[in-house]
Amino acid sequence: LLRRKGAAYVLHSENRRQKVGRSVNFWRRALPIYCRYRWEEYRIKDLTEAEQDAALNALHDIYSKRIIGDILALRGLYIKLGQIMTSRPDYAPPQYQESLKVLEDHVPARPFRQIRADVERDMGLGSLDEVFASVEEEPLGAATIGQVHGANLLDGRRVVIKYQYPEVERLFTQDLETVQTFCRLLQPEFSPMLEEMSRQFKTEFDFVREAWGLQTIGDAVRGAFPGITIPRPVPELCSRRVCVMERVDGVKLVDGVKAYYEARAAEEGITIEELRDRMAARGDGSAPATASQMELYRGYLYARAAAWNALAVAYNNTAGLLLF
């Protein structure tokens, strides 16, 4: 008993040290950038608008390249935030959006040999060979909370194994607290978004719940919308951090959305950049959104996300939704 208590204390202490270390690492990287921008805004406040834009764009050029290394060093939540910034023109200047595009499709994955034992342990298997005829060691994709590998079951079914990193839920919670503190103190207009993210994250780490959702929604949708394909889970092979589901090939959601907007820009005779600028200009753009405006905007974000999903489905006729 004492040995178990001692081990628990050591683990708690290690987690606490890691939390403090990651928090310090974030503040060490973020605060100088924030202060540099605030100083620059103070320095140029009496200049012309064109001169102010030029000065700020010079900073954007510098820090938009530097921030990629910071995000990839911190990983986890910070990659998720970087991905959000690429989808919202009002959240980041064009230089940042361009630099952060690498996070949409090039999140580093872990070698399969490093995660195999953990996958087997979470599934309660002695070996993956007990249920899989083969597993593709090269991941189909990686995201902020885990990665996906193709596989074949012993009965011949093509499936994917969605795996969640063991430390990710704890780190997301810790990092979110750090970023929320930063925003409360320095950028309160982003607090509503982070509060919503906190609520959403609580549902993203339980893959048993996700498997139930795939099954329930799939059963409801298939009869009414035969053109939509939602992958069927394999419930007996799903655990809290591993979800095995039917493999559905198709166009990635982000590629489907991009193709839609490229076609829309072509129809209007403008470039995709001009279309993006036109969409960004729909707000007044004169000042950052207030906390109350951000709160009201959340409902719109839900609707827009749903619309983008529908557009991707229409583009490819079928959609396999692997949500991270």
Side-chain angles (χ1 to χ4, degrees), residues 124-286:
L125 300 174
S127 170
L128 293 179
D129 297 337
E130 296 175 16
V131 293
F132 296 103
S134 63
V135 177
E136 299 172 12
E137 294 197 3
E138 186 69 23
L140 296 172
T144 52
I145 73 169
Q147 57 197 64
V148 176
H149 291 263
N152 290 294
L153 295 175
L154 291 177
D155 61 12
R157 282 180 291 171
R158 297 173 68 242
V159 296
V160 297
I161 304 170
K162 180 178 173 181
Y163 165 74
Q164 179 187 143
Y165 303 133
E167 76 285 357
V168 72
E169 183 174 5
R170 173 175 53 81
L171 293 182
F172 260 62
T173 302
Q174 294 173 357
D175 293 342
L176 191 57
E177 291 176 1
T178 299
V179 177
Q180 284 176 317
T181 300
F182 180 89
C183 287
R184 278 196 301 268
L185 293 174
L186 302 174
Q187 293 187 292
E189 65 271 18
F190 291 109
S191 292
M193 179 195 72
L194 291 172
E195 291 171 6
E196 180 58 34
M197 288 178 62
S198 179
R199 287 190 286 268
Q200 179 63 30
F201 286 160
K202 294 178 181 178
T203 68
E204 290 190 2
F205 298 109
D206 187 351
F207 284 0
V208 172
R209 176 181 176 138
E210 178 172 326
W212 174 86
L214 285 171
Q215 187 68 57
T216 303
I217 295 172
D219 291 344
V221 167
R222 288 185 192 99
F225 304 98
I228 297 178
T229 299
I230 295 177
R232 292 177 171 84
V234 185
E236 64 272 19
L237 298 181
C238 293
S239 59
R240 181 169 174 79
R241 292 194 296 106
V242 177
C243 185
V244 178
M245 67 185 80
E246 173 188 17
R247 181 167 181 170
V248 179
D249 297 316
V251 174
K252 292 183 298 183
L253 177 60
V254 65
D255 291 341
V257 171
K258 287 179 178 178
Y260 164 77
Y261 283 109
E262 287 171 355
R264 179 174 164 182
E267 288 177 1
E268 298 184 20
I270 59 177
T271 66
I272 190 69
E273 290 76 16
E274 291 171 330
L275 177 62
R276 182 168 57 240
D277 292 341
R278 182 180 298 178
M279 294 175 64
R282 287 178 179 173
D284 66 13
S286 59

Side-chain angles (χ1 to χ4, degrees), residues 23-41 59-60 62-63 66-67 70 74 96 182 186-187:
S23 181
V24 169
N25 200 4
F26 168 80
W27 280 93
R28 179 178 64 82
R29 295 168 186 269
L31 189 59
I33 297 175
Y34 174 84
C35 292
R36 181 66 181 87
Y37 271 95
R38 295 293 77 82
W39 165 250
E40 190 68 7
E41 289 176 354
L59 283 186
H60 298 336
I62 294 171
Y63 288 113
R66 188 177 303 176
I67 197 174
D70 293 337
L74 292 166
Y96 283 89
F182 180 89
L186 302 174
Q187 293 187 292

